[in-house]
Amino acid sequence: MNGRMVNISKRWGFHGIEALKNASPSYKITMGLFALLALTGAAIGVHGMIVGYHHVYGVSRQVSWGLLISTYIFCVVTSTGLCIISSIGHVFGGEAFMPIAKRAVFMSIMFMFGGFCIIFFDIENPFRMAIWNVISPNFVSNMWWMGTLYGMYLVFMIVEYYFLLEQNHSLSRLMGFFGLVVGIAAHSNLGAVFGMLHGRPFWYGPYLPIYFIFSAGMSGGCAILFFTTLGWKINPEIMNQRMERAIKAVTQVTIFLISVIIFFTIWKIITGMVSEGKHLVIMSFLTGDYAINFWVFEIFLGMLLPLFLLIRSRGNNFNLIMYATGLMMVGIFFMRYDIVIPGQIESVYHSLGVVEEAKLLTYTPSFHEIMASLFGIAFVCLAYFAGEKILNGHQLEKHEIVPEGGYICPGCGAIHFMEEGETEEDAMKRHHRIW
Amino acid sequence: MKFPKINFDDMKNEGTGSVTAHERRKFLKLGLAIAGVYAGGKILSLTSIVGTAHASGGTSIVKRYPYNPHYSMVIRQSLCIDCERCVDACNEINNVPEYGYRTRILTKKYTGTLDKRVEFIPVLCNHCNDAPCVRACPTKATYKDPVTGIVRMESKKCIGCKTCMLACPYDARYFSAERHAVDKCDFCWEERLSKGDTQTGCSSACPTGARTFGNLTDPDNIVYKLVHQLEEQIWVLRPADDTKPNIFYMKGNIRSVDNILNEQKFKYFDPSNV
C-alpha cells in the first residue's frame, strides 16, 4: 500500500494530505478562513433556498439577474481564459507557455466548479434542470447550450488534466484541443445569452460574444500571473528559468489583451452614446450610479493600472506582477458586474414615456446574495491553496512535450539539448557555465 | 444612351376595351394594397400576418393567421380610466400573489395638450408570434400553444433561470414562488377559456370596453373588425423588437369604433350635428 502511494505521488506530483499537515500555521489559518467562508456562504445560500429567494435576494421582476449571475460570469470567464491562454502552450506548442499548463488547467476546473456552485443558488429549481435539460431540450435556446457546452467543457478539462498528470501528452493535447473548442463555443454562447435578448439594447448584438472571448483571454492571463506569482510566494521553489520565461510570455500576452479590451471599451462607450437604447445606461457609467464602478474599478483597477504596472514589471518583477494582477482581478469582477446589472436598469417601458418607468431601475445586492457568491469564490480560493500544497505547487514533472534529444534540466527546469556524446550532467554544466 | 422619342400626343387611345377583366382586377387590387400600405403602414408591418395588405382582401387573409382561434386583444387606449378592475380581476382569477402581476396599467402624462393631460396604457403579455421568451427557454417550459397561439407555461419544466423574464420586451413575466415557476398571462386559458368562457378575466371586468378580446380569424369578431380597417391607426408596443405581438393598441374613441362596427359606413362631417 505504502509503495503504491509513493509510486502515484511520484507520477502525479501528488504530495498528499501530508503536505497540508506540514503547512505553516498561517497557511492553515488562511485555508481555514476560506473553508469557513465557503461553509457559511453555502449555509446562507441553503437558507435562502428554503425560505424562498424572493424574500432574501435583491433581484426583482425587472432586474432579475443580480450579483450571483455576475459572479458566475466572473468565474466562467476566468475559467475559459485560463484554458485559452494555457492552450497556447500545451495545445499549440508554444514552448514558452508550457510550464503554466498544469496550474492553469487545475484552476480552470476549479473556477468552473466555483461558477456552478454560485449558479446553483441562482437557479430557482436546479434539480429540475438536470431532468428537463435532457428530456425537453430547446435547441434554439442559448441558455440550453450554455448548460450543455459548459458541462462538456468541464468534462474535457478534467480528462485533459488527468492526462497531464499521467504525462500522456498526445491525449492531453487532444483533450485540450477539444476543451478549447468547446470552451470557446460555450463562452461566446454565454455572450450570446445576453446578446440575443433583443428587448435589451445594451446587450443586444454580436458585441458581447466577441468581447467575451477577448475578455476571457485577458482574465485568463491575469489569473495565471496572479496564481503563479502567489504560488511563488507560497513555495519559492516553483520558479526556475522556464517558469520565469513563461511568466514573461504570459505578461506580454496579457498586456496585449488589456489593450484590446481598452479598445473594445472605448468603442462601446462612444457608439453607445449615440444610440437611443444605450444612451441612458452609458451615461450612468460616465456620470451616474455606475460611475465609481466604471471609472475606479473597471477602467483604473481593471485596465489602466495593471497595464502600467505590467509594462513596468517587464515580466521580471514578480511582486509587482502579483499586486497588479491581484488588483486587476478585483477590477475584472466589477467589469462583469457592469455587464450584467446595467443591462437591466432601463425598463422595457421606459421608452414609452410612462410615469411608472421614468426613472432607471436600481439594484443592490442583498446579504444572502453576497454570501452565496462568496461561497463560490471561497471555494475557488480554498481549492487553490489546497492545490498548491497537495499538488506540490503544480511543479514540472516532465509533463511537457520534450523535443528529441532534449531533456528537462533538473536545475533550472528548462529544456536543454545534449550534444553528441554528452551526458545530461555535462549538458547542464555547459548550459549553466559550470565548468 | 439615347432613348427613342415617342410622341404621345399623336398616339391613338386604345380605350379600356382591350384590358381583360382579370388584369383590371389585378390592377385594382394593387391599388388597394398600396393604399393599405400607405394609410395603415403601421398595421401592415406589425400585425401577425406577414406581407399582406389587409385592405386588399376579405376571407382569403383569414387563412393566413397561424392559429385558429387566433386569440388577440385590441386595447382602446382612450377608453381606459385606470380603475384597475382588470388588474384585480386578473389577480383574483389567476391567484396572482401580491408581489407579482400579470397585467398592469401604465400612466402617461402630457403637458401643453388641449383635450387631455393623461392617458392610461394597459399592458400584458403580447402573446407574440415570434415570442423571444419561447426561444430563450432552455427546457421548453414556455411554449406557443399550437392551436390558439397563446404563450403558455408548463410549470413543472421551469428551472427558474429567469432568462425569459429578461427576454420579454413587455415585462410580462415574474417568478412565482407558489408555482415554483415563472408565471404570466395566459389569456385566462387555464381558468376561463378552456372551461368554455369566451372572454378573459380582464376584458370582462373592464367597465368601458377598453380591453377588447376576441378571435382574430373570425370576420364577425370585434377584434377582427377593429384590426382590419384603415380609418383608425393601430399600433403595437415596441415594434422595433419585431416580435409580432397580438395585443393591438388604438385610440378607439366611441365614435370612431362605432363607425368601424357599422360596417365602416363612412359618415360625412356634418357641422349641424356637432
Side-chain angles (χ1 to χ4, degrees):
Chain A
M1 186 67 199
N2 197 23
R4 201 166 140 258
M5 278 298 289
V6 170
N7 194 12
I8 288 173
S9 73
K10 263 194 169 173
R11 234 169 71 211
W12 282 18
F14 178 75
H15 272 212
I17 309 299
E18 275 307 303
L20 277 185
K21 285 185 187 157
N22 297 334
S24 70
S26 61
Y27 199 86
K28 284 178 187 161
I29 290 170
T30 314
M31 282 191 61
L33 284 177
F34 280 121
L36 194 67
L37 192 59
L39 283 177
T40 319
I44 290 173
V46 169
H47 173 255
M49 185 183 259
I50 292 164
V51 299
Y53 293 138
H54 74 284
H55 293 297
V56 291
Y57 282 2
V59 288
S60 60
R61 175 187 181 119
Q62 300 206 57
V63 184
S64 40
W65 283 347
L67 179 69
L68 287 166
I69 294 285
S70 77
T71 317
Y72 163 75
I73 285 174
F74 170 75
C75 285
V76 298
V77 171
T78 312
S79 172
T80 319
L82 286 162
C83 167
I84 293 173
I85 299 294
S86 69
S87 71
I88 300 174
H90 69 104
V91 175
F92 297 110
E95 207 260 311
F97 287 83
M98 283 178 185
I100 56 166
K102 249 169 120 180
R103 182 182 280 104
V105 174
F106 174 75
M107 286 312 290
S108 173
I109 295 167
M110 289 308 143
F111 265 105
M112 207 61 228
F113 275 124
F116 284 153
C117 288
I118 295 165
I119 207 160
F120 177 80
F121 286 119
D122 184 78
I123 287 187
E124 302 267 355
N125 307 310
F127 302 109
R128 278 185 198 169
M129 191 167 91
I131 306 163
W132 294 106
N133 260 17
V134 178
I135 59 176
S136 178
N138 184 8
F139 296 116
V140 292
S141 161
N142 295 101
M143 207 64 183
W144 184 84
W145 282 105
M146 189 190 86
T148 310
L149 290 171
Y150 272 129
M152 283 165 66
Y153 168 73
L154 188 60
V155 170
F156 279 125
M157 292 308 273
I158 290 173
V159 174
E160 179 197 355
Y161 188 62
Y162 173 79
F163 284 129
L164 271 182
L165 293 177
E166 277 283 323
Q167 301 188 28
N168 186 337
H169 297 299
S170 46
L171 277 180
S172 83
R173 193 173 197 170
L174 189 69
M175 287 300 132
F177 177 72
F178 287 140
L180 179 71
V181 170
V182 174
I184 287 192
H187 200 60
S188 54
N189 173 69
L190 178 65
V193 166
F194 295 93
M196 287 186 73
L197 299 179
H198 49 274
R200 307 278 170 175
F202 182 69
W203 290 334
Y204 178 70
Y207 175 85
L208 279 179
I210 302 166
Y211 171 86
F212 265 40
I213 295 298
F214 283 97
S215 193
M218 180 185 80
S219 302
C222 168
I224 287 173
L225 290 176
F226 181 65
F227 289 123
T228 311
T229 46
L230 191 65
W232 164 71
K233 283 271 175 193
I234 294 165
N235 177 8
E237 273 178 31
I238 66 164
M239 280 302 165
N240 50 49
Q241 284 185 4
R242 289 198 76 205
M243 199 53 128
E244 284 168 15
R245 202 150 67 93
I247 294 273
K248 194 156 193 160
V250 178
T251 307
Q252 286 164 347
V253 170
T254 310
I255 289 170
F256 166 69
L257 286 167
I258 295 173
S259 318
V260 172
I261 294 299
I262 289 175
F263 162 82
F264 264 88
T265 309
I266 288 172
W267 284 111
K268 176 175 80 180
I269 296 297
I270 294 177
T271 56
M273 280 169 83
V274 296
S275 149
E276 194 194 350
K278 297 180 185 175
H279 180 259
L280 274 172
V281 181
I282 296 295
M283 289 322 282
S284 85
F285 277 140
L286 299 181
T287 55
D289 290 352
Y290 290 88
I292 291 177
N293 274 13
F294 181 70
W295 291 113
V296 177
F297 288 102
E298 184 170 342
I299 297 294
F300 182 69
L301 277 191
M303 297 180 209
L304 296 184
L305 185 68
L307 184 68
F308 174 72
L309 292 181
L310 287 182
I311 291 172
R312 263 202 83 137
S313 77
R314 293 168 183 276
N316 304 325
N317 186 339
F318 300 142
N319 275 317
L320 196 59
I321 292 176
M322 189 179 79
Y323 293 124
T325 50
L327 290 172
M328 191 174 161
M329 294 286 272
V330 177
I332 289 173
F333 178 83
F334 279 87
M335 234 179 256
R336 308 299 167 233
Y337 189 85
D338 288 353
I339 292 170
V340 176
I341 314 298
Q344 305 166 68
I345 57 172
E346 189 181 339
S347 163
V348 290
Y349 288 124
H350 182 88
S351 55
L352 201 57
V354 291
V355 178
E356 287 85 352
E357 305 294 355
K359 285 184 189 161
L360 290 178
L361 303 165
T362 55
Y363 163 77
T364 318
S366 75
F367 171 71
H368 276 74
E369 282 174 305
I370 293 170
M371 290 311 291
S373 305
L374 282 177
F375 163 52
I377 299 287
F379 168 80
V380 174
C381 296
L382 184 65
Y384 170 73
F385 282 110
E388 286 297 319
K389 288 288 176 196
I390 294 175
L391 298 160
N392 190 25
H394 307 275
Q395 284 199 63
L396 315 165
E397 300 270 338
K398 276 193 183 173
H399 65 274
E400 288 91 24
I401 303 153
V402 180
E404 192 70 26
Y407 73 98
I408 291 178
C409 170
C412 70
I415 293 178
H416 289 173
F417 290 92
M418 291 172 284
E419 285 176 358
E420 265 191 30
E422 214 176 22
T423 62
E424 281 194 10
E425 207 182 330
D426 289 339
M428 190 187 83
K429 280 182 177 168
R430 182 169 53 78
H431 272 273
H432 294 286
R433 292 166 201 212
I434 308 164
W435 298 103
Chain B
M1 192 178 168
K2 278 189 175 177
F3 292 97
K5 277 185 184 170
I6 302 171
N7 194 346
F8 287 101
D9 295 337
D10 296 344
M11 285 178 89
K12 201 184 148 202
N13 191 341
E14 282 181 6
T16 49
S18 61
V19 182
T20 63
H22 175 72
E23 221 165 314
R24 248 159 76 135
R25 207 159 39 232
K26 250 171 75 181
F27 175 76
L28 285 173
K29 236 175 159 176
L30 182 71
L32 281 167
I34 290 168
V37 174
Y38 191 71
K42 280 214 161 142
I43 321 173
L44 189 68
S45 54
L46 308 175
T47 45
S48 313
I49 333 158
V50 191
T52 49
H54 304 294
S56 66
T59 46
S60 65
I61 274 178
V62 174
K63 288 178 190 153
R64 301 198 190 206
Y65 284 104
Y67 306 99
N68 191 5
H70 190 116
Y71 287 120
S72 171
M73 192 179 278
V74 177
I75 289 177
R76 287 141 74 182
Q77 212 167 281
S78 323
L79 302 184
C80 181
I81 53 170
D82 196 23
C83 65
E84 303 227 331
R85 285 195 202 176
C86 51
V87 179
D88 295 340
C90 173
N91 291 350
E92 196 181 322
I93 290 166
N94 298 301
N95 302 314
V96 177
E98 63 179 301
Y99 56 84
Y101 52 83
R102 288 179 171 201
T103 179
R104 67 170 169 160
I105 298 175
L106 300 169
T107 315
K108 192 169 183 179
K109 289 193 173 156
Y110 297 89
T111 48
T113 43
L114 296 177
D115 49 353
K116 50 182 176 179
R117 295 281 163 86
V118 64
E119 250 187 337
F120 302 108
I121 310 171
V123 291
L124 65 158
C125 171
N126 278 246
H127 297 279
C128 315
N129 285 0
D130 282 350
C133 52
V134 172
R135 190 194 60 78
C137 179
T139 56
K140 295 182 180 166
T142 189
Y143 61 100
K144 272 301 261 186
D145 189 302
V147 179
T148 61
I150 295 175
V151 176
R152 293 178 58 200
M153 282 296 302
E154 194 173 350
S155 294
K156 67 171 187 205
K157 287 187 184 175
C158 177
I159 64 169
C161 66
K162 299 172 187 165
T163 316
C164 57
M165 289 162 65
L166 289 168
C168 176
Y170 301 101
D171 180 32
R173 297 169 159 265
Y174 70 97
F175 190 84
S176 164
E178 286 76 13
R179 291 169 197 259
H180 300 288
V182 168
D183 186 37
K184 65 177 292 296
C185 163
D186 62 348
F187 272 158
C188 286
W189 178 262
E190 306 252 321
E191 301 298 333
R192 290 174 70 106
L193 296 191
S194 63
K195 296 171 183 168
D197 235 316
T198 55
Q199 286 294 310
T200 63
C202 55
S203 64
S204 58
C206 182
T208 64
R211 289 176 185 251
T212 318
F213 176 78
N215 176 2
L216 204 50
T217 55
D218 174 10
D220 296 327
N221 195 289
I222 181 167
V223 166
Y224 179 94
K225 288 177 180 171
L226 290 178
V227 172
H228 293 77
Q229 46 84 28
L230 295 177
E231 265 315 290
E232 267 229 45
Q233 203 180 39
I234 297 236
W235 65 92
V236 296
L237 298 180
R238 295 180 64 97
D241 294 332
D242 198 24
T243 59
K244 301 190 178 60
N246 284 307
I247 306 293
F248 302 99
Y249 288 79
M250 66 193 292
K251 294 288 178 190
N253 60 63
I254 296 288
R255 185 179 292 186
S256 67
V257 170
D258 197 38
N259 237 343
I260 294 161
L261 296 182
N262 289 325
E263 307 275 301
Q264 306 214 28
K265 280 173 196 147
F266 193 77
K267 289 176 185 167
Y268 288 98
F269 176 68
D270 182 356
S272 62
N273 282 348
V274 176

